[in-house]
Every structure is written in structure tokens, then in C-alpha cells.
Amino acid sequence: MDQDLGDFLRSRRARIQPEDVGLPAGGRRRVPGLRREELAQLAGVSVDYYVRLEQGRSPNVSDAVLDAIARALRLDETENAHLRNLVRPARTARRAQRPQQVRPGVLRMLEMMDDVPAFVLGRRMDILAWNPLADAVTGFSALDRHNAAWHTFLHPGARELYPEWPAVAAETVAYLHLDAGRHPDDPQLAALVGELSMKSEPFRRLWPRQDVKDKAHGRKLIRHPIVGDLELRYETFAVPGGESQLLVAYTVAAGSPSEERLRLLASWQASEPPADVRAPEPRSR
């Protein structure tokens, strides 16, 4: 995790130019962005202290210092929280991880959301459950592996499903980084990152950027093979007591072509035999 902290801080320094913060450019630079001594100056700490922090050798760093560094690096709220997770990782006892379970009440809620595509996303972006309309939109039930990151980078149909695939890929990696900061001792997450790194060149390129982003809300364009393009907005809600589970719901703008297409898809789906909302148990890795 010390390496993760150093990588994150270096990546945030690299995106800030000295002139952006009122410092002279200082001639030729070997690396982009701020030097360590410049960041230390902006944060009001000694260079030696900042170097120790970047190397993971300051376990008792104060909130005041972290706040100063976050301001100097212009971190947003999510990046700020990620920095603290890396500095003070949550250490948990290693034990056999139980399969993630979705409560019956949550499954029933999914089932009752007839007109809203909705699903439950768990740790490591495992897709734990979905309702029939979400399956009609995304084809979850046909996936060989129920994991959103695996689907984005390794499923052959992902680029056709997501016309704006580069944005989806970047967002996926940024959320995986956030999950890694929250759960630093997760061997299954480490195995997933290793697999994606070996098998996907775009993932190998995106992972070192150290971007972090929460899945609070956003936009996603899906090219459906039957009804055409669906411009969707998603909202996510934390499932209380759900071990880092998120309920994700898709909406469409009222009166839009996407609303018409989603209604058509819902009518088509309603004519199919009833489907279970629960996904198969994710396989251990």
C-alpha cells in the first residue's frame, strides 16, 4: 500500500503545473508537474517530511497536514477521502471471504421496480443481482462472468454496447482504484486487477493514472441491439448493512426518444417468461 500512496501522490503532483499555483517554471524539468519541494512549500511542510510521507514512512501524519497537502494538490472530495484511506489503510484479518449476499428485501425491491432498470453492485464491481428490465437493457444474464470491470475490458461485445467506451473504461478504472483504497487487503481485487492488466492493454494504460471516482450519479449511453441508443442517467444508493453494496438505477429524460425506446423494451421484456432477479453467485478467484 505504501507504493499505492506514493503512486497516487506522484500522479496528483504531475497534473499541476508550477505556473498554475504561482510558482516559476524553473527551467527544464525531468518529470511533469510539481517537484516534491514545490509541493512541500505549498503545503507548508518540510521537504524531508513530505518525502517520508510519499514513501509511506509517516504513519502518524496529522489531519492538518493531510488537509494542507490535499489543498496544495487541489484534490476533490473523493480524492481527499482516497488519500486518507491510503495513509491510514483499514487493516482487516485475512480470512476466507464469503460470497456476497443481497438481502431478500433488496431483491424484492428490485423485482417491484417494473419500469426502472436496476441492479446491485458489490465489492470489486461484482454484479450481484438485477431486475428483468436491467437484464433487457444490459444483458447481464448472458455474461460469462458477472463483474462490471471484467465486462468492460474483456467482454467482446462491450465496445458495441457502450458507444462511449473510452469514458466508461476510465470511469470503471477510477472506481476500482477507490475500492482498492477502501479495501487494501482484498486478494480477489488484486487478482482481478492482475488479470485485467495482463489481458487488456487499455486497462494497463489507465491503471497507473491513479484516478479515483465514486459512482454517485452520471450518464451512460447504451447501444441496444433491438431498440437502438438509450441515453441513460444513473443514480446510486448505498445499501445499509450491505457490505459496500450499491443499488444502481437507470432513468431516462421525460419525453425523450430514450424514454420511448425504454418503454418499448419494457413491453418486449414483459412478454417474456418471468425471470429471477438474483445473479449466480460470483466465482471465487
Side-chain angles (χ1 to χ4, degrees):
M1 188 52 61
D2 294 344
Q3 181 179 359
D4 292 340
L5 172 60
D7 289 343
F8 178 68
L9 288 172
R10 284 188 290 271
S11 73
R12 301 307 89 175
R13 282 197 290 114
R15 69 181 183 178
I16 301 176
Q17 299 305 313
E19 51 269 28
D20 295 337
V21 292
L23 295 174
R28 187 174 181 180
R29 292 171 176 259
R30 292 182 299 173
V31 294
L34 294 177
R35 298 185 177 110
R36 287 171 169 173
E37 57 268 26
E38 292 169 334
L39 191 281
Q41 176 185 341
L42 290 171
V45 299
S46 71
V47 177
D48 182 62
Y49 187 89
Y50 177 76
V51 169
R52 292 202 309 273
L53 174 64
E54 198 169 278
Q55 294 174 345
R57 296 189 289 119
S58 295
N60 299 317
V61 60
S62 69
D63 286 335
V65 169
L66 289 178
D67 287 340
I69 290 173
R71 286 193 299 270
L73 290 173
R74 300 182 174 183
L75 303 186
D76 62 24
E77 183 178 350
T78 301
E79 292 170 326
N80 200 338
H82 185 63
L83 172 63
R84 281 160 170 73
N85 285 335
L86 295 178
V87 172
R88 301 164 182 158
R91 300 298 182 187
T92 56
R94 286 183 174 267
R95 59 180 182 274
Q97 293 188 343
R98 297 173 298 174
Q100 300 176 87
Q101 300 288 339
V102 182
R103 290 199 309 272
V106 177
L107 294 174
R108 177 57 179 154
M109 183 169 62
L110 286 177
E111 186 178 305
M112 296 175 68
M113 298 170 71
D114 292 334
D115 300 326
V116 179
F119 58 97
V120 176
L121 199 66
R123 293 272 307 281
R124 304 171 292 276
M125 302 190 77
D126 285 340
I127 307 163
L128 304 182
W130 56 79
N131 65 8
L133 189 52
D135 193 21
V137 169
T138 61
F140 285 146
S141 62
L143 295 181
D144 295 330
R145 182 169 168 185
H146 298 100
N147 178 275
W150 181 92
H151 174 253
T152 299
F153 287 97
L154 298 183
H155 191 275
R159 290 177 184 260
E160 295 180 8
L161 183 65
Y162 303 125
E164 299 172 340
W165 185 88
V168 173
E171 182 181 87
T172 297
V173 171
Y175 185 75
L176 272 187
H177 263 300
L178 195 65
D179 193 59
R182 291 167 174 166
H183 308 284
D185 296 324
D186 186 346
Q188 292 184 41
L189 177 57
L192 175 63
V193 171
E195 179 184 7
L196 295 175
S197 297
M198 287 189 297
K199 297 180 179 179
S200 170
E201 188 279 330
F203 185 88
R204 287 195 301 274
R205 179 167 33 85
L206 287 168
W207 186 254
R209 284 168 40 176
Q210 297 289 322
D211 292 335
V212 291
K213 182 179 180 181
D214 211 347
K215 288 186 69 67
H217 54 84
R219 172 186 174 276
K220 184 164 287 185
L221 183 64
I222 288 180
R223 179 154 295 158
H224 194 274
I226 296 176
V227 300
D229 286 355
L230 293 168
E231 185 172 349
L232 306 167
R233 306 294 303 187
Y234 64 83
E235 300 286 343
T236 63
F237 308 89
V239 177
E243 298 182 358
S244 301
Q245 293 177 12
L246 297 175
L247 175 65
V248 183
Y250 285 138
T251 65
V252 289
S256 67
S258 291
E259 182 183 38
E260 186 100 9
R261 292 165 186 162
L262 187 61
R263 283 178 178 170
L264 177 62
L265 194 58
S267 299
W268 170 80
Q269 178 274 320
S271 67
E272 296 294 304
D276 190 353
V277 299
R278 185 190 297 271
E281 295 290 355
R283 292 175 290 176
S284 297
R285 304 221 168 253

